[in-house]
Amino acid sequence: MLLRTARSLTTSPWDAEDLLQTALAQTYLAWDRIEDPRALDGYVRRALLNTRTSQWRKRRVDEYAAGDDLPEPAPVPGPDPAEHQAMRDAMWRAVLRLPERQRAMVVLRYYEDLSEAQTAAVLGVSVGTVKSAVSRALAKLREDTGLGALAQAA
């Protein structure tokens, strides 16, 4: 019965056996102070709980981080803001070269973040028309910006 209590307080059966042995040793040391032998079971249970709580509080951390000893993380190279802006400008110029209907669909789909159904409703066309026109527009944009070669290389 006591071993079951110890197992409920620990994560492994071996730790439970060690915990019970420690609690029984503490009980043995306090044997003279226990007046009622019927309270012995409760005393051992309380010793189990107190011992486990003490172990938990004394748990050690193997490594401590010291401020000066920590290595600096390697900087993650981010995209160059100038390059990013140049790419956005080139993309927008390519969008402006699209036919008016394709340009409207691309702007609604990708700049306004509308779904295909919403884009079709705004323009008064079918969803299939939006899909095919956007597909052709994206192919043209890949050609104009040179992203098609990059996509095929990757």
Side-chain angles (χ1 to χ4, degrees), residues 38-104:
R38 292 176 294 179
L40 188 59
D41 196 42
Y43 189 92
V44 175
R45 286 182 198 280
R46 191 69 200 160
L48 279 169
L49 185 61
N50 289 345
T51 303
R52 181 65 185 134
T53 302
S54 295
Q55 289 172 348
W56 174 75
R57 285 182 180 156
K58 292 178 184 177
R59 186 177 60 202
R60 292 171 145 172
V61 176
D62 291 336
E63 295 181 17
Y64 294 97
D68 295 336
D69 297 339
L70 293 176
E72 288 294 321
V76 178
D80 183 17
E83 242 179 73
H84 182 69
Q85 186 61 40
M87 179 60 82
R88 287 178 57 106
D89 289 343
M91 183 62 72
W92 185 246
R93 284 192 303 275
V95 168
L96 291 176
R97 288 192 298 270
L98 290 173
E100 186 176 328
R101 188 172 176 186
Q102 286 181 351
R103 182 174 55 234

Side-chain angles (χ1 to χ4, degrees), residues 134-153:
V134 168
S135 176
R136 285 191 305 273
L138 292 178
K140 178 117 175 90
L141 289 173
R142 282 186 202 100
E143 287 175 18
D144 289 352
T145 59
L147 293 177
L150 290 175
Q152 289 175 355

Side-chain angles (χ1 to χ4, degrees), residues 1-26 44 47-48 51-52 55:
M1 194 77 127
L2 293 173
L3 184 58
R4 188 180 315 153
T5 303
R7 282 188 179 166
S8 69
L9 294 172
T10 61
T11 56
S12 74
W14 301 279
D15 289 338
E17 291 172 2
D18 290 344
L19 177 62
L20 180 58
Q21 185 174 4
T22 304
L24 289 172
Q26 289 175 350
V44 175
L48 279 169
T51 303
R52 181 65 185 134
Q55 289 172 348

